Amino acid sequence: MADNNNHRAAELPLTPHPALKRLAHLLGTWKNEGLVPGTSTYRMGLGGHYLIQEFEATTPRGRRLSGIEYITWDDETQTLRSHLLADDGSNFAYTHQTDDDGTCWTWFGGKDSDNFFKGKLSEDGGTITGRWQWPGGGFDVVSRKTGD
């Protein structure tokens, strides 16, 4: 993912990339259950060019963690990419995708990563059930929408 798009200053689009609509099901507040419980709130921001997640979670070691994630279209990779920043100093990049059948993907880094989340959006759009997995580990996750 490019650190910036300075070279494109004269050609940046005035409207958000249509691929962001693939993540519209995330808009609202979610309660996350599993090994890292917490809440996530997603909203569109900055003219609709970014899906913004603000979150609070409790790590398996009992530490409270909060942060923010900015998701947008990345021309370099032709994917929905994000930067996640948290109060523990995290500055992570992720790749996001939602398939037509409701399968939700989040890769730590790029799509070639062996550290990823794969989940399924319920038919009513109110629950995502899935698993974070990586070589030698992982954990199950259930996220339930609690508000708009």
Side-chain angles (χ1 to χ4, degrees):
M1 178 175 188
D3 286 334
N4 62 63
N5 59 6
N6 296 10
H7 65 285
R8 295 189 55 233
E11 62 187 59
L12 290 174
L14 297 177
T15 58
H17 195 280
L20 278 169
K21 293 177 184 173
R22 302 288 297 174
L23 301 180
H25 63 276
L26 293 172
L27 292 171
T29 300
W30 295 77
K31 180 180 178 187
N32 305 310
E33 304 166 4
L35 189 63
V36 184
T39 59
S40 296
T41 300
Y42 292 86
R43 63 182 171 81
M44 295 305 296
L46 301 171
H49 290 273
Y50 294 87
L51 177 64
I52 301 169
Q53 175 194 189
E54 294 182 70
F55 66 91
E56 292 187 355
T58 302
T59 69
R61 295 182 181 169
R63 184 184 185 293
R64 295 284 300 156
L65 184 68
S66 62
I68 193 163
E69 179 181 29
Y70 293 90
I71 306 168
T72 193
W73 179 255
D74 181 53
D75 280 321
E76 185 177 304
T77 62
Q78 295 291 295
T79 61
L80 289 165
R81 293 294 302 255
S82 71
H83 281 289
L84 180 143
L85 305 121
D87 64 359
D88 65 353
S90 299
N91 181 3
F92 298 146
Y94 291 90
T95 301
H96 301 269
Q97 178 178 308
T98 299
D99 297 339
D100 290 339
D101 68 357
T103 301
C104 304
W105 298 88
T106 302
W107 291 271
F108 187 71
K111 285 186 175 184
D112 58 347
S113 176
D114 56 5
N115 181 340
F116 62 92
F117 173 81
K118 180 181 180 184
K120 186 74 170 184
L121 180 65
S122 64
E123 286 191 29
D124 68 2
T127 305
I128 300 172
T129 305
R131 181 171 177 78
W132 268 106
Q133 53 193 48
W134 54 85
F139 60 91
D140 295 330
V141 178
V142 175
S143 297
R144 300 178 199 286
K145 198 169 203 177
T146 62
D148 293 330

